[in-house]
């Protein structure tokens, strides 16, 4: 335990992409541009959803939560990543690592549940349109969003605390660019079987279960859409559901590989690129997906630009 305490005081070394210095320069530029686009895109969605009265609906309430999540999620990771990519220093303090672990895991877990809630919202909108306003009333929407946030906080309090309490016996070199549970437990100098089981259970509840519920929701939606005779209503249903389904595919498709697939089946570099995709690229694409594919958001942007509220 003495060695572990010394390690905690000295912080950690994030090896990241340090074995490929030329790639680091390219990644610095790509990540910086992606982060700036994430800030602009998600902030725009939040502002537009709050200012335009036509977007004060359950769908855009959840979309605002998603945009805020993406902003906070990338901010908990990208500044440290950029700092490490720009120079020889690859360190992070033990406090910084713990903070990054708690915050990023909480926000990532919350997003899994929130995307499931958004799928339920789309199910009610398409399959129960006459009861939509009754079911998805504001207090119920706030409760669903609250459940998503509390799920993320509860998960990180358990997983992160257990992970940080593992003895490391002086091991401080993380083969990653961030402090993440799968990478952190590899530093332990004790049997981590119980931790792997705990991680699998958490993954089952917060990743596999949401994926299953989203699949069921879209199964019902697909069945209902097939029955729609109006071409306009059919296109509108596909438009709103298509944006969400694309976001779900991007986020769950990459994160599931990291948390579900056995870690020995891919190398450090491959795992880091997959993590880079769902932590940096996906939050950048989300606002583009919702604005480019959504006539309501584009219309709200035109209205706000025309009235000069920016």
């Amino acid at each position: 335990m003495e060695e572990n305490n010394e390690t905690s005081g000295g912080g950690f070394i994030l090896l990241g992409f340090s074995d490929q210095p030329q790639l680091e320069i390219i990644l610095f530029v790509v990540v910086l541009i992606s982060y700036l686009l994430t800030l602009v895109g998600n902030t725009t969605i939040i502002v537009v959803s709050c200012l335009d009265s036509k977007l004060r609906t359950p769908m855009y309430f959840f979309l605002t939560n998603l945009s805020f999540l993406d902003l906070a999620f990338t901010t908990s990771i990208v500044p440290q990543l950029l700092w490490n990519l720009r120079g020889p220093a690859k360190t992070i303090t033990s406090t910084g690592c713990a903070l990054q672990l708690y915050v990023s895991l909480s926000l990532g877990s919350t997003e899994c549940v929130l995307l499931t809630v958004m799928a339920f919202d789309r199910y009610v909108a398409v399959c129960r349109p006459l009861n939509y306003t009754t079911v998805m009333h504001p207090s119920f929407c706030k409760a669903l969003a609250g459940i998503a946030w509390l799920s993320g906080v509860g998960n990180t309090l358990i997983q992160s605390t257990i992970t940080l309490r593992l003895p490391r016996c002086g091991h401080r070199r993380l083969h990653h660019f961030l402090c993440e549970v799968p990478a952190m437990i590899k530093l332990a100098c004790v049997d981590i079987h119980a931790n792997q089981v705990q991680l699998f259970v958490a993954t089952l509840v917060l990743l596999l279960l949401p994926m299953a519920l989203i699949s069921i929701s879209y199964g019902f939606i697909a069945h209902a859409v097939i029955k729609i005779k109006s071409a306009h209503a059919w296109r509108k249903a596909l438009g709103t559901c298509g944006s969400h389904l694309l976001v779900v595919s991007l986020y769950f498709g990459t994160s599931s590989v990291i948390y579900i697939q056995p870690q020995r089946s891919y190398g450090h570099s491959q795992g880091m690129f997959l993590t880079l995709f769902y932590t940096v690229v996906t939050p950048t694409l989300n606002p583009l997906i919702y604005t480019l594919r959504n006539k309501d958001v584009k219309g709200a942007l035109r209205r706000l630009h025309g009235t000069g509220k920016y």
Side-chain angles (χ1 to χ4, degrees), residues 162-239:
I162 292 174
T163 301
L164 290 172
R165 289 176 63 87
L166 285 171
R168 295 181 291 275
C169 302
H171 300 156
R172 19 188 328 250
R173 297 165 67 87
L174 272 169
H175 290 278
H176 218 308
F177 61 82
L178 80 158
C179 295
E180 192 177 39
V181 172
M184 292 286 291
I185 62 176
K186 287 183 178 180
L187 299 181
C189 56
V190 294
D191 182 17
I192 59 171
H193 178 70
N195 297 84
Q196 291 174 327
V197 171
Q198 174 259 329
L199 179 60
F200 175 75
V201 172
T203 301
L204 189 69
V205 174
L206 289 167
L207 201 60
L208 292 178
L209 182 59
M211 288 171 66
L213 292 175
I214 290 171
S215 299
I216 292 171
S217 295
Y218 275 102
F220 283 114
I221 289 172
H223 182 69
V225 167
I226 292 173
K227 294 182 178 180
I228 295 176
K229 295 180 180 180
S230 168
H232 174 72
W234 190 83
R235 283 194 299 270
K236 185 176 180 181
L238 284 183

Side-chain angles (χ1 to χ4, degrees), residues 5 70 74 100 123-124 134 152 160 170 185 187 202 218 228 236-237 261 264 272 279:
N5 290 335
D70 284 339
T74 53
Q100 186 180 75
Y123 159 76
V124 177
T134 304
S160 299
I185 62 176
L187 299 181
Y218 275 102
I228 295 176
K236 185 176 180 181
Q261 193 173 352
R264 63 179 178 273
M272 284 190 294
T279 57

Side-chain angles (χ1 to χ4, degrees), residues 273-292:
F273 277 115
L274 288 169
T275 304
L276 196 66
F277 193 87
Y278 78 80
T279 57
V280 178
V281 178
T282 301
T284 305
L285 295 176
N286 286 355
L288 295 176
I289 291 169
Y290 277 105
T291 53
L292 293 177

Side-chain angles (χ1 to χ4, degrees), residues 106-163:
S106 172
L107 296 172
S109 303
T110 300
E111 185 153 344
C112 291
V113 181
L114 184 63
L115 288 172
T116 308
V117 170
M118 293 174 75
F120 173 72
D121 172 67
R122 291 299 84 205
Y123 159 76
V124 177
V126 176
C127 301
R128 300 287 186 271
L130 298 178
N131 300 325
Y132 182 71
T133 53
T134 304
V135 175
M136 303 303 293
H137 53 84
S139 58
F140 183 58
C141 291
K142 291 176 183 177
L144 289 176
I147 290 172
W149 284 95
L150 287 175
S151 299
V153 172
N155 181 48
T156 196
L157 286 176
I158 296 171
Q159 282 205 72
S160 299
T161 303
I162 292 174
T163 301

